Amino acid sequence: MTTNCIKFDAPDIEKAKGSGSISTLTFDIDITVEPVSSDNPLAPTHRVLGRSPRGRLVECGGIWKKQNRETGADYFTLTIRDFGFNANLGKAANQEDDALQAVIPWGPRDAQ
């Protein structure tokens, strides 16, 4: 599989499970994403799970549905907590498959 992509099991990303990988100069992880059911509008749509150094599946981040302030279009963001990694999800280049989403980094989270 290509790195920095998530392949969901359905085009309706908000309700789909998926798997993929994220590779940067500082980390390289395979991930699994599982939908979250919540009535809280601020809750993530998905849990992001990765493998610990001992091979255990652990929650390491989340995916949130957001809305563009100018256009009102929905989009998804992804965070990997341990690495301060943030990204948007978007249609993968040269792909017609809406279930294949590219992980598009937008920079580290500011220290708080």
Side-chain angles (χ1 to χ4, degrees):
M1 171 178 252
T2 305
T3 62
N4 296 336
C5 286
I6 299 172
K7 176 65 174 170
F8 289 89
D9 62 7
D12 183 4
I13 293 169
E14 194 167 354
K15 298 175 184 165
K17 293 181 180 181
S19 63
S21 65
I22 301 173
S23 299
T24 72
L25 293 175
T26 56
F27 69 94
D28 183 13
I29 60 172
D30 292 327
I31 60 170
T32 300
V33 297
E34 298 177 350
V36 172
S37 178
S38 175
D39 292 331
N40 181 345
L42 300 177
T45 60
H46 294 79
R47 298 171 50 205
V48 177
L49 306 160
R51 296 257 175 219
S52 73
R54 293 178 59 190
R56 297 179 184 184
L57 199 59
V58 295
E59 188 169 347
C60 62
I63 295 175
W64 284 263
K65 185 175 183 178
K66 306 262 178 123
Q67 194 171 58
N68 183 296
R69 291 179 190 160
E70 294 177 14
T71 67
D74 291 333
Y75 67 99
F76 293 89
T77 64
L78 174 141
T79 299
I80 304 293
R81 284 188 309 269
D82 290 354
F83 300 105
F85 179 82
N86 297 293
N88 289 336
L89 299 182
K91 194 170 182 178
N94 301 315
Q95 294 292 322
E96 297 300 320
D97 184 358
D98 289 334
L100 181 63
Q101 294 286 301
V103 176
I104 307 161
W106 52 266
R109 181 175 49 214
D110 292 336
Q112 296 183 20

